[in-house]
Amino acid sequence: MPAGRKRQGTLEANRREELLQAAARLFVEKGFDATTTRDIAEAVGMRSGSPFYHFRSKQELLKAAMIAGLETGYRRLQAASEDIVDPAQRLRVMIRVHLGNLLEGDCQVPMLLYESRALDAAARAEIATVTDRYQETWQATLDELAAIGKLRSSAAPLRLLLFGMLNWSSQWYRADGALSLDQIAAAAADLLLM
Amino acid sequence: MPAGRKRQGTLEANRREELLQAAARLFVEKGFDATTTRDIAEAVGMRSGSPFYHFRSKQELLKAAMIAGLETGYRRLQAASEDIVDPAQRLRVMIRVHLGNLLEGDCQVPMLLYESRALDAAARAEIATVTDRYQETWQATLDELAAIGKLRSSAAPLRLLLFGMLNWSSQWYRADGALSLDQIAAAAADLLLM
DNA sequence: CCTACCGATCGGTAGG
DNA sequence: CCTACCGATCGGTAGG
């Protein structure tokens, strides 16, 4: 019964997806250790043991949530920026998209990265593969800007200082606050570009 | 027997201090939840129940470690900067001292702040008192620089973007890496000042 | 995916 | 500050 099996597979994939999203949200909110697998199960209406039908361990859940979130963020970044020819304009868009990845939606992908220390070396290596690709996209645009003298500083760690500015905003940004993401993005871009 | 009592008091204060430092280091390294009170006891050569002779709870230990670390950092900042008349030079020194607070020594004060979510509202308010004082010192110097047109951006959240650049460095800085704290400090200052 | 459960660990306490 | 301990919680599993 292929149709039945297929529908079942879809349902299972959906439950898996629900678990990932609930886990991501809770891990960001309370931290990996303070979130119990029972919290996650309850968030999707399961019993305490059931998440382990979908994931081998709590660490597996974290790893999968990180990778899924990072890949979504990467796709958004590429889709929004790859057709922009002017590197300065492209950087502005990338900054805005990154702030969205960070602060819009309910996952806050890059903040999940703080929880990497809960994972073993093998899992961390898997995640590094995805984050490296994200970083390379940024470095390419920054290099392009440096080559035409449009960056105010050519210091080696410029990308890292930029990510710091942006990622730290999750510590203080409030959706109902005085500053919009557009304003924060513009302020950060103005600091870098000349 | 005042002399005896005094010596005893000093010993007790020393043990307390040892606990605070061990706790701070472990909380930064492994996170609050992943650090057990047994880890902390063992780090100072005590038995599992003994930290509770000095601190009512694990949360009390975290709170006290945060406040002690923040006050040390604040004293360093003031001592290094208060006599510098030129605000641009003062900002450069403050940035360097802040990086030291963050990355030298074994406590990494500002990173402890991530663990605030483990505390209740009352404890968070106590800590806010100390961090606010730290922030005000920075805001005063930034205002001074803005007034004489020496900042490249007058965006409202400039202080927050700056803290982001600096604090994020704890995610990637390595003492044996290619970049020294002096170089990072200079790169950050160059981005802000004109 | 649920029921029922286990072994381990953990924060904290009593009593000295 | 130690010994001895408790109650609760947690990640994970067996068996269906």
Side-chain angles (χ1 to χ4, degrees):
Chain A
M1 224 207 276
R5 207 185 319 136
K6 190 179 178 188
R7 199 195 295 125
Q8 175 118 8
T10 305
L11 277 174
E12 262 193 40
N14 284 346
R15 293 304 266 162
R16 205 185 130 93
E17 196 57 34
E18 285 178 59
L19 277 170
L20 279 182
Q21 285 178 19
R25 192 170 38 76
L26 287 164
F27 288 154
V28 167
E29 188 184 315
K30 315 190 349 173
F32 178 75
D33 291 300
T35 302
T36 70
T37 54
R38 283 164 170 83
D39 290 338
I40 298 167
E42 192 182 7
V44 300
M46 286 180 186
R47 299 292 180 150
S48 67
S50 302
F52 296 98
Y53 171 74
H54 296 275
F55 296 92
R56 227 174 314 212
S57 68
K58 194 184 170 188
Q59 272 82 4
E60 272 288 315
L61 247 171
L62 174 59
K63 189 182 78 175
M66 286 175 124
I67 290 177
L70 285 167
E71 278 176 349
T72 300
Y74 180 70
R75 275 196 301 272
R76 276 194 211 129
L77 187 70
Q78 290 295 102
S81 67
E82 64 189 352
D83 293 334
I84 304 179
V85 177
D86 174 32
Q89 179 56 22
R90 193 192 315 135
L91 182 69
R92 287 181 181 277
V93 168
M94 288 170 72
I95 287 174
R96 180 60 182 80
V97 170
H98 183 73
L99 282 176
N101 284 342
L102 192 63
L103 301 168
E104 288 167 341
D106 49 9
C107 169
Q108 301 207 338
V109 190
M111 284 303 99
L112 262 184
L113 295 178
Y114 276 118
E115 307 295 341
S116 289
R117 62 183 162 194
L119 299 175
D120 60 27
R124 273 205 288 262
E126 269 190 72
I127 284 158
T129 304
V130 193
T131 56
D132 284 353
R133 208 177 42 182
Y134 197 86
Q135 309 278 330
E136 278 159 20
T137 302
W138 286 85
Q139 195 60 55
T141 292
L142 290 174
D143 287 345
E144 207 174 325
L145 286 164
I148 57 174
K150 283 226 170 193
L151 284 185
R152 278 179 160 152
S153 164
S154 57
L158 193 64
R159 172 174 53 84
L160 295 165
L161 293 178
L162 171 58
F163 273 116
M165 287 195 270
L166 302 182
N167 291 351
W168 193 252
S169 66
S170 72
Q171 300 287 312
W172 52 267
Y173 172 74
R174 297 288 168 258
D176 58 354
L179 289 156
S180 70
L181 293 190
D182 287 342
Q183 288 173 307
I184 300 169
D190 289 344
L191 270 181
L192 293 188
L193 294 166
M194 64 181 177
Chain B
M1 224 211 278
R5 207 185 316 136
K6 192 178 175 191
R7 197 191 301 124
Q8 175 117 11
T10 305
L11 278 174
E12 262 193 41
N14 285 345
R15 292 305 266 162
R16 207 185 130 93
E17 195 56 35
E18 285 177 59
L19 277 170
L20 280 182
Q21 287 179 19
R25 190 172 38 79
L26 287 164
F27 288 155
V28 167
E29 187 185 317
K30 316 188 351 173
F32 178 76
D33 290 300
T35 302
T36 70
T37 55
R38 284 165 169 82
D39 291 337
I40 298 167
E42 193 181 7
V44 300
M46 284 179 186
R47 300 292 180 151
S48 68
S50 302
F52 296 98
Y53 170 74
H54 296 275
F55 295 92
R56 229 174 315 215
S57 69
K58 192 185 172 186
Q59 273 82 3
E60 273 288 315
L61 246 172
L62 174 59
K63 191 182 78 175
M66 285 174 125
I67 291 178
L70 286 167
E71 279 176 347
T72 299
Y74 180 70
R75 274 197 301 274
R76 275 192 211 130
L77 187 71
Q78 290 296 99
S81 68
E82 63 189 352
D83 292 334
I84 302 178
V85 178
D86 174 33
Q89 179 56 21
R90 193 193 313 136
L91 182 69
R92 287 182 180 276
V93 168
M94 288 169 72
I95 286 174
R96 179 59 181 82
V97 170
H98 183 73
L99 283 176
N101 284 340
L102 192 64
L103 301 170
E104 290 168 338
D106 48 9
C107 169
Q108 301 206 340
V109 190
M111 283 305 98
L112 261 184
L113 295 178
Y114 276 117
E115 307 295 340
S116 289
R117 62 185 162 192
L119 299 175
D120 59 28
R124 275 206 286 262
E126 270 189 71
I127 285 158
T129 305
V130 192
T131 55
D132 284 353
R133 210 176 41 180
Y134 198 86
Q135 310 276 331
E136 278 159 20
T137 301
W138 286 84
Q139 194 60 56
T141 291
L142 290 174
D143 287 346
E144 209 175 321
L145 286 163
I148 57 174
K150 283 225 167 190
L151 284 183
R152 274 178 165 153
S153 164
S154 57
L158 193 64
R159 173 174 53 82
L160 296 165
L161 294 178
L162 171 58
F163 273 115
M165 288 194 270
L166 302 182
N167 292 350
W168 193 252
S169 66
S170 72
Q171 301 285 315
W172 52 268
Y173 172 74
R174 297 288 168 258
D176 57 355
L179 288 157
S180 69
L181 293 189
D182 286 341
Q183 288 173 309
I184 301 169
D190 289 344
L191 270 181
L192 293 188
L193 293 166
M194 63 181 178

